[in-house]
Amino acid sequence: MVFLLIYSCGIEKYIPEGEQLYTGAELELETVSDLKDIKEVKTELFNLIEPSPNATFLGMKPALFFHYKAQREKPGFFYKFLNKSFGEEPVYFSDVNTERVEELILNRLDNNGFFYSRSDSETTIDGKFASVNYSASLPEAYVLENYNLESDSLPIYKEIEKMLPETALVKGDRFDLDLLKAERVRLNNGLKQRGYYNSQEDLLIFEADTNQYKNKKFDLFLRLKKDVPARASIPYTIDSITVYPNYSIEGDTLPLIKNNVTQVDSIDFVQNELYFKPELLKSYLLFNEGDLYDASISKQTSNRLSALGSYKYVNIQYTELDTTATDGDSGSLAANIYLAPLTKRSIRAELQAITKSNGFTGPGILLTHSNRNVFNGGETFSVSANFSYESQLSSGNNSSLSSIAGGISADLIIPRSIPFSPSRFKYAVPKTKISLGLDFLQRSQLFTLNSVNGSFGYTWKENQYVYHQLDPISINYSRLTNVTDEFQTILDDNPFLSLSFEQQFIAGLLYNFTYDEVSNINKEYPVYFATNFDLAGNMLNLVSGSSKTIFGSEYAQYAKVDADFRFYMRWQKERTLVSRIYAGWGLPYGNSQTLPFVKQFYSGGPYSVRAFNIRSLGPGNFNAQTENATTDYFDQSGNLKLEANVEYRFPLFSYLKGAFFIDAGNVWLTGNYSDIEDDQLTSSFSQNLFTDGKFEKDWLKEVAAGVGFGLRLDIQNFVIRLDLASPLRVPYLPENNRWNVPFFGNIDNNMTLNFAIGYPF
């Protein structure tokens, strides 16, 4: 209390003479009867009160304090920085206009059916501080009794009548201007989907009649404005469609002459030379000659054409051919679709700086050549080559370790789902992707790993938020060569690791489901959910007649699933609180005793529990540092992973952002590893891997946790991230010594610096 008093005095001395600091307002409502949604009404009215007072934290106003301190003649760098990052301009009582707020409250009450309300305000001044108490007296609200459409002979009235049963206006609802506006928007959108090309919201008029009732009820009547133009009250039919597949934005549209025009189902395709096959392009159009104009179908068609990946500009224009047909009750439209192609070929080069939290650092390069519309059907063929060199910069036994990685891949993306026609899909057309790649990884003093991979699958958007990816064919063949004596010793001493490298052939099915609201910047509380399903080996097992090998190589057989859920809370000035929960589980069976090495889960690193190095946690409370391994190359992993993260993100200045975070998680082993355990007992590497690493009922005691803070350079969604983290709980230490004071404890590796590209989640 004494501290708060001293703090208040510290703020008070900065308030200018003749001014009072505005500390906020209260609002009291008086009603004549019980109102079921009184809390919602009060919240809506309270949000009208302006201005907002300075932010308060634990009874103090630190943002205002930073501002005042920064106004001194010599504020110093510290207060300049705090003011730039968190400071607020003072809000004085002279900025408050109580009469305007009272008018806003009365206006909003009228809009909500509380006609003839009264509002008042009372000001309280206490020395250098002032507040306002607003009050409002609410009479009984007017409620809806009947909702009717005035009759007329125009065809548009019949269409409106068909849409009325779907209205959100219900008998007994309080008068609500926002609901009426929403109803008008709904009806106008419906008319535009029924051919009414010139329909507009302001042509629809609502009239409320209270004369028939003594109590506070009203009838609502809907009609068109008087003297509505004939063009706005008749439906339009699309009577001609012309597509320009190779349109130039400069405007050199080709004339409609016989040599330039190809007609498919009455649709004219105009192109000087064949750029896009007309019969394929036609399947992306959702409207045909003779259809009624539909604004939503037109927009969906535009989105489908844009998603082809061949065009930088898509524009559908409609021209009125005849405002009144022979019978006078319909109009005619000509649809012209202008498609301006992207550059056919492109080459992109990326220089990369790779820094990993396990100490490997080095340069990389990525080259990509793309050929768009390669077969005149929107197909994109791209070839990529990558090369990187990484060296272990840390001191110790591994200071001389390095790795060279490279590969080449080819992708063919076909903007339709072979063998299905695009016309079968309404929202978005699935794409077919065929991929083939070669990769190699040479780890000095250890091994060389060569791999071949290929896949055939589909990607598609179900709606604005839902995305699917299905690869019914996914193949990966890897071969371990140039194994040094040192690494062979590691494999001999660790049967679990050895088995995970022996499974050279991985063939199966992959499926991904993603629900993502984060890209919608208007959502205050967006969510993100993604799950992956990976099933391998069953088809090979069937083809090989249950043999353990195919083409002389052992193949993997397993099922693996994971789920990632994130919840975002956004508020002003780009401040976001992100919560994340992740769970993954893999089950080897049949031909496999362990998951392949590349399919195992690991914990730690810049996208996981950041207080620990990559692949340095688990399984369970297993401690690799106490084992007699010839090298610490052994990457700790498991077939079960659980993680949770909370991160608060805030702006600092310009493109620089800050963050505070806490991470928790680990990996474990599940299932029966009795055969491997017997082999492990004879090895010199570890006799504790399976006892310490198994997932059991006391798994919470084996969860690692860490806290930290970070800086992010965010330039138009290109993010360079530095996160400094420290362990809060270390699961591989003795049970009584697992808690640690972050940044100040006396454990080894008390701080970990993570460098990464992009946000962690």
Side-chain angles (χ1 to χ4, degrees):
M1 183 65 70
V2 174
F3 175 76
L4 291 177
L5 181 61
I6 295 174
Y7 177 83
S8 297
C9 294
I11 288 289
E12 186 174 352
K13 69 181 181 181
Y14 293 106
I15 301 174
E17 286 296 327
E19 291 280 12
Q20 290 86 31
L21 187 68
Y22 176 59
T23 58
E26 297 290 338
L27 175 64
E28 295 182 5
L29 298 183
E30 180 183 344
T31 61
V32 296
S33 60
D34 291 337
L35 192 63
K36 61 181 180 180
D37 58 345
I38 184 65
K39 290 184 178 180
E40 289 78 4
V41 173
K42 186 173 183 178
T43 299
E44 184 177 353
L45 296 177
F46 190 82
N47 290 335
L48 298 174
I49 298 176
E50 55 184 25
S52 298
N54 291 108
T56 301
F57 178 73
L58 298 178
M60 301 178 290
K61 299 182 182 294
L64 178 60
F65 181 75
F66 298 150
H67 170 80
Y68 280 138
K69 283 291 188 180
Q71 307 311 307
R72 297 180 302 176
E73 185 176 347
K74 295 181 179 179
F77 171 79
F78 179 68
Y79 282 114
K80 280 185 176 180
F81 171 77
L82 290 177
N83 181 49
K84 182 76 174 179
S85 303
F86 308 103
E88 288 183 351
E89 294 276 348
V91 180
Y92 296 121
F93 182 66
S94 59
D95 300 322
V96 179
N97 186 338
T98 56
E99 292 182 359
R100 170 173 167 75
V101 173
E102 291 175 27
E103 290 177 1
L104 291 173
I105 291 175
L106 288 177
N107 179 264
R108 186 58 57 88
L109 288 172
D110 285 346
N111 293 345
N112 281 275
F114 299 100
F115 297 104
Y116 311 111
S117 298
R118 297 192 307 273
S119 67
D120 199 1
S121 63
E122 181 180 346
T123 300
T124 301
I125 297 178
D126 182 10
K128 287 285 189 176
F129 302 93
S131 61
V132 181
N133 292 322
Y134 293 97
S135 61
S137 178
L138 282 61
E140 186 177 352
Y142 282 82
V143 296
L144 177 64
E145 182 67 18
N146 296 299
Y147 175 28
N148 298 307
L149 174 68
E150 289 188 357
S151 59
D152 195 282
S153 60
L154 291 174
I156 191 172
Y157 277 91
K158 295 181 181 179
E159 296 299 331
I160 295 175
E161 188 174 10
K162 293 177 183 177
M163 293 185 283
L164 285 188
E166 300 175 5
T167 182
L169 300 174
V170 180
K171 180 179 179 180
D173 280 352
R174 189 178 69 241
F175 178 90
D176 190 326
L177 184 61
D178 288 338
L179 278 180
L180 297 184
K181 290 180 178 179
E183 174 72 354
R184 192 165 66 168
V185 170
R186 183 186 74 86
L187 293 173
N188 182 64
N189 290 339
L191 289 171
K192 284 188 173 293
Q193 294 174 27
R194 289 168 166 80
Y196 290 86
Y197 175 71
N198 289 308
S199 174
Q200 298 178 23
E201 293 174 19
D202 59 3
L203 297 179
L204 298 170
I205 298 295
F206 285 112
E207 292 180 341
D209 182 10
T210 62
N211 294 327
Q212 301 185 54
Y213 306 101
K214 293 182 180 180
N215 51 3
K216 295 196 172 183
K217 296 181 180 180
F218 70 96
D219 290 335
L220 188 66
F221 295 92
L222 172 65
R223 64 173 177 84
L224 292 181
K225 269 185 178 180
K226 294 181 180 179
D227 302 323
V228 172
R231 298 165 56 251
S233 60
I234 59 173
Y236 280 75
T237 301
I238 300 173
D239 286 340
S240 70
I241 303 173
T242 305
V243 183
Y244 299 89
N246 196 14
Y247 177 74
S248 172
I249 296 180
E250 284 70 26
D252 54 343
T253 305
L254 296 173
L256 281 171
I257 60 177
K258 186 175 181 180
N259 292 339
N260 295 336
V261 179
T262 302
Q263 193 172 79
V264 178
D265 295 337
S266 301
I267 300 176
D268 292 327
F269 293 84
V270 184
Q271 46 189 336
N272 194 25
E273 59 182 23
L274 181 65
Y275 178 78
F276 207 114
K277 297 175 182 177
E279 61 275 10
L280 285 179
L281 192 56
K282 190 266 176 186
S283 62
Y284 291 88
L285 308 183
L286 295 177
F287 53 83
N288 296 290
E289 187 176 309
D291 289 351
L292 284 173
Y293 167 78
D294 188 324
S296 65
I297 292 296
S298 181
K299 184 177 180 180
Q300 288 180 37
T301 299
S302 179
N303 291 340
R304 287 157 65 94
L305 293 171
S306 298
L308 282 172
S310 298
Y311 294 108
K312 62 182 175 182
Y313 173 84
V314 175
N315 185 19
I316 303 178
Q317 295 183 0
Y318 294 92
T319 304
E320 296 182 47
L321 299 178
D322 187 6
T323 57
T324 55
T326 54
D327 56 4
D329 60 1
S330 65
S332 179
L333 292 174
N336 295 293
I337 304 175
Y338 301 99
L339 307 174
L342 287 162
T343 303
K344 184 171 178 59
R345 294 179 178 85
S346 64
I347 297 178
R348 184 180 66 187
E350 295 182 18
L351 292 177
Q352 302 170 330
I354 302 170
T355 300
K356 299 178 180 177
S357 57
N358 60 358
F360 280 89
T361 302
I365 185 171
L366 172 65
L367 298 174
T368 303
H369 175 267
S370 297
N371 189 345
R372 298 182 180 90
N373 199 38
V374 62
F375 301 123
N376 302 113
E379 305 87 357
T380 300
F381 179 73
S382 60
V383 178
S384 299
N386 67 85
F387 179 84
S388 64
Y389 173 82
E390 303 169 16
S391 179
Q392 177 68 277
L393 299 182
S394 61
S395 60
N397 295 333
N398 291 335
S399 59
S400 60
L401 286 181
S402 64
S403 67
I404 297 175
I408 185 170
S409 62
D411 297 322
L412 177 63
I413 299 177
I414 305 170
R416 50 196 166 273
S417 54
I418 296 175
F420 307 106
S421 169
S423 60
R424 296 170 60 95
F425 305 92
K426 297 303 179 185
Y427 180 80
V429 178
K431 295 183 178 181
T432 302
K433 183 177 181 180
I434 304 171
S435 300
L436 182 65
L438 301 171
D439 297 289
F440 77 91
L441 171 66
Q442 184 183 70
R443 186 66 62 88
S444 68
Q445 305 177 24
L446 295 173
F447 62 84
T448 299
L449 184 66
N450 300 309
S451 62
V452 180
N453 56 79
S455 65
F456 173 89
Y458 307 99
T459 63
W460 74 97
K461 291 197 70 172
E462 182 178 335
N463 54 48
Q464 180 183 358
Y465 302 122
V466 176
Y467 172 83
H468 301 269
Q469 179 173 346
L470 173 64
D471 290 344
I473 300 176
S474 177
I475 300 173
N476 183 286
Y477 174 79
S478 60
R479 185 180 180 188
L480 195 65
T481 62
N482 300 328
V483 176
T484 65
D485 293 339
E486 182 179 4
F487 189 63
Q488 187 61 52
T489 301
I490 297 174
L491 295 179
D492 293 340
D493 286 346
N494 187 356
F496 182 83
L497 183 64
S498 179
L499 281 173
S500 68
F501 273 103
E502 287 178 2
Q503 297 164 3
Q504 299 174 328
F505 219 126
I506 304 174
L509 175 147
L510 299 174
Y511 172 71
N512 165 262
F513 170 87
T514 302
Y515 179 85
D516 185 3
E517 296 178 342
V518 181
S519 58
N520 187 345
I521 60 175
N522 295 319
K523 276 192 172 288
E524 190 174 1
Y525 303 111
V527 298
Y528 171 94
F529 175 75
T531 184
N532 297 281
F533 182 70
D534 183 356
L535 184 65
N538 291 345
M539 184 59 68
L540 293 182
N541 184 263
L542 182 64
V543 172
S544 65
S546 300
S547 172
K548 291 184 176 294
T549 62
I550 189 167
F551 306 126
S553 299
E554 184 176 347
Y555 61 88
Q557 196 170 9
Y558 64 87
K560 180 183 175 184
V561 64
D562 65 57
D564 186 345
F565 177 79
R566 308 169 194 174
F567 178 70
Y568 294 74
M569 296 178 62
R570 295 168 171 165
W571 58 95
Q572 73 277 6
K573 291 186 178 180
E574 305 176 49
R575 301 176 189 273
T576 306
L577 182 67
V578 189
S579 304
R580 171 180 177 260
I581 297 175
Y582 176 90
W585 183 47
L587 177 65
Y589 62 91
N591 203 42
S592 298
Q593 292 179 281
T594 67
L595 291 178
F597 183 76
V598 295
K599 296 293 183 178
Q600 293 175 2
F601 296 105
Y602 66 88
S603 191
Y607 301 95
S608 180
V609 185
R610 284 162 280 185
F612 299 85
N613 286 334
I614 191 170
R615 296 179 182 266
S616 66
L617 280 174
N621 62 358
F622 175 71
N623 189 353
Q625 298 176 3
T626 63
E627 307 301 331
N628 297 320
T630 56
T631 176
D632 60 4
Y633 167 76
F634 175 65
D635 290 322
Q636 296 154 255
S637 57
N639 67 313
L640 173 66
K641 179 178 180 178
L642 299 174
E643 273 187 7
N645 315 78
V646 177
E647 181 168 288
Y648 171 58
R649 300 168 184 169
F650 53 89
L652 293 175
F653 52 86
S654 187
Y655 297 111
L656 188 63
K657 318 295 181 184
F660 296 107
F661 56 83
I662 179 170
D663 306 318
N666 205 341
V667 294
W668 290 267
L669 297 173
T670 67
N672 183 8
Y673 295 97
S674 56
D675 293 340
I676 308 178
E677 289 184 62
D678 292 339
D679 294 336
Q680 199 88 355
L681 290 174
T682 63
S683 73
S684 62
F685 181 79
S686 172
Q687 298 181 3
N688 301 320
L689 177 64
F690 295 98
T691 55
D692 295 343
K694 282 189 176 180
F695 184 78
E696 297 177 330
K697 61 182 180 180
D698 61 346
W699 63 272
L700 275 174
K701 296 180 180 180
E702 300 172 351
V703 172
V707 299
F709 55 90
L711 296 175
R712 290 87 191 276
L713 187 63
D714 188 344
I715 304 175
Q716 296 181 346
N717 294 324
F718 176 75
V719 179
I720 299 175
R721 174 166 56 95
L722 282 174
D723 287 333
L724 183 63
S726 179
L728 178 63
R729 183 171 173 83
V730 185
Y732 50 76
L733 293 180
E735 188 169 344
N736 294 331
N737 298 323
R738 291 179 182 175
W739 290 104
N740 175 60
V741 179
F743 300 104
F744 299 100
N746 56 4
I747 65 171
D748 294 335
N749 301 320
N750 197 36
M751 286 188 290
T752 300
L753 180 64
N754 297 272
F755 172 84
I757 303 298
Y759 286 104
F761 44 84

